Amino acid sequence: EVQLVESGGGLVQPGGSLRLSCAASGFTFSINSMSWARQAPGKDLRWVGTINREGDRASYADAVKGRFTISRDNAENRVYLQMYSLKSEDTAVYYCAMGGWDGPKGQGTQVTVSS
């Protein structure tokens, strides 16, 4: 059974940084790309970015490009989302997903950007 557990969310001031983590189990992590998606209050789920299985290439939504970085540790079955220069519009529940952003997801972790 695919299990994804996100953590690391919280309240951060505008301009601040936060690092999210996702622990994966129940599947062969190292052969799957991994994605992050987010859902802001009252809005649809949106793609944030995807990292390839080797961890040497990632793509990002325009809204986060240059501010967010996805990385992974295949030995630890973890994927990370490092977020810098956070803005109020980054406030959302963040999910990691197996494969594309429409794949199986965890329960999400809340990120709130507010002063």
Side-chain angles (χ1 to χ4, degrees):
E1 177 189 1
V2 173
Q3 286 199 326
L4 298 163
V5 180
E6 301 92 340
S7 61
L11 174 64
V12 61
Q13 292 188 340
S17 301
L18 210 55
R19 188 194 196 204
L20 307 183
S21 177
C22 172
S25 62
F27 63 102
T28 307
F29 181 78
S30 61
I31 66 169
N32 283 275
S33 61
M34 294 293 294
S35 298
W36 286 93
R38 66 186 182 183
Q39 187 165 24
K43 301 202 173 172
D44 293 334
L45 188 70
R46 296 283 179 91
W47 174 67
V48 172
T50 299
I51 189 166
N52 67 347
R53 57 188 181 182
E54 293 85 1
D56 59 355
R57 226 173 23 202
S59 55
Y60 302 93
D62 287 346
V64 307
K65 201 173 294 182
R67 299 188 299 120
F68 290 12
T69 301
I70 301 174
S71 61
R72 65 190 293 163
D73 184 336
N74 284 349
E76 296 291 329
N77 286 5
R78 284 185 173 267
V79 61
Y80 303 96
L81 180 65
Q82 178 70 56
M83 305 183 291
Y84 298 103
S85 303
L86 283 161
K87 307 174 183 179
S88 58
E89 51 263 45
D90 295 318
T91 295
V93 178
Y94 284 73
Y95 301 89
C96 69
M98 183 183 105
W101 64 292
D102 56 347
K105 299 175 188 59
Q107 83 291 345
T109 187
Q110 175 72 48
V111 172
T112 302
V113 184
S114 175
S115 54

